[in-house]
C-alpha cells in the first residue's frame, strides 16, 4: 500500500516562497507523482507532476516559471518549490501517486490512486 505524507504548507505574503514535500512510502516501482490544489468552491486542479522513473515534468500554465517539481536521489520524496506566490495560488495542496502511465493525463485527479492528507497554502495580498 502506497502512503503519501505532505508537509511544508503555510501562510505567506504575495511574492513569497514555500517548498512543499511529499514523502512516499510503500512502493517499489516507478510512479508518477502529482501535486494538485483545491480552493474553496472550486474543483481540484493539477498543478505539476513528475515521472519518478524518468525526467519528465509537467506544469499547468498558470505556474510555469514560478513552480518547480523535483525528487530526491532516492526517489522517496517529491518537492514542489513555489516562488513568486500569488493570492490565486491559495488552496489545499495534495500530492498523489499512480503507477506510471501516459503523461498526457497527468492533470486528471481521477487517474491517481493514492493521495496524501493535504497541506494548506495561504497567500495574502
Amino acid at each position: 500500500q502506497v502512503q503519501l505524507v505532505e508537509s511544508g504548507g503555510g501562510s505567506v505574503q504575495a511574492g513569497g516562497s514555500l517548498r512543499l514535500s511529499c514523502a512516499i512510502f510503500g512502493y517499489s516501482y516507478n510512479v508518477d507523482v502529482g501535486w494538485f490544489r483545491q480552493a474553496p468552491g472550486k474543483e481540484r486542479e493539477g498543478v505539476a507532476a513528475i515521472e519518478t522513473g524518468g525526467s519528465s515534468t509537467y506544469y499547468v500554465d498558470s505556474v510555469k516559471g514560478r513552480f518547480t517539481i523535483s525528487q530526491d536521489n532516492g526517489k522517496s520524496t517529491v518537492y514542489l518549490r513555489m516562488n513568486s506566490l500569488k493570492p490565486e495560488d491559495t488552496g489545499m495542496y495534495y500530492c498523489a501517486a499512480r503507477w506510471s502511465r501516459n503523461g498526457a493525463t497527468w492533470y486528471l485527479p481521477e487517474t491517481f490512486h493514492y493521495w496524501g492528507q493535504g497541506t494548506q497554502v495561504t497567500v495574502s495580498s
Side-chain angles (χ1 to χ4, degrees):
Q1 181 73 12
V2 177
Q3 291 185 317
L4 308 172
V5 180
E6 303 104 331
S7 60
S11 297
V12 296
Q13 291 190 328
S17 298
L18 287 172
R19 189 181 77 162
L20 306 183
S21 299
C22 175
I24 309 167
F25 304 94
Y27 78 106
S28 58
Y29 297 96
N30 293 327
V31 295
D32 299 338
V33 177
W35 282 99
F36 293 81
R37 66 186 176 192
Q38 189 164 21
K42 294 189 176 181
E43 293 186 351
R44 193 165 294 189
E45 173 189 37
V47 176
I50 187 168
E51 297 176 357
T52 63
S55 60
S56 295
T57 57
Y58 307 90
Y59 299 93
V60 69
D61 285 348
S62 61
V63 308
K64 285 181 180 177
R66 300 189 297 121
F67 290 13
T68 303
I69 190 169
S70 62
Q71 61 182 333
D72 67 359
N73 289 336
K75 304 179 182 180
S76 61
T77 304
V78 170
Y79 305 99
L80 185 67
R81 177 68 181 182
M82 305 185 295
N83 295 328
S84 302
L85 282 162
K86 303 176 181 180
E88 52 264 43
D89 294 318
T90 294
M92 185 70 76
Y93 281 68
Y94 300 89
C95 71
R98 66 183 189 185
W99 306 120
S100 290
R101 56 189 293 177
N102 188 339
T105 61
W106 74 268
Y107 60 95
L108 297 174
E110 61 267 28
T111 66
F112 285 77
H113 315 302
Y114 305 101
W115 290 83
Q117 80 286 355
T119 185
Q120 178 68 36
V121 171
T122 303
V123 184
S124 58
S125 58

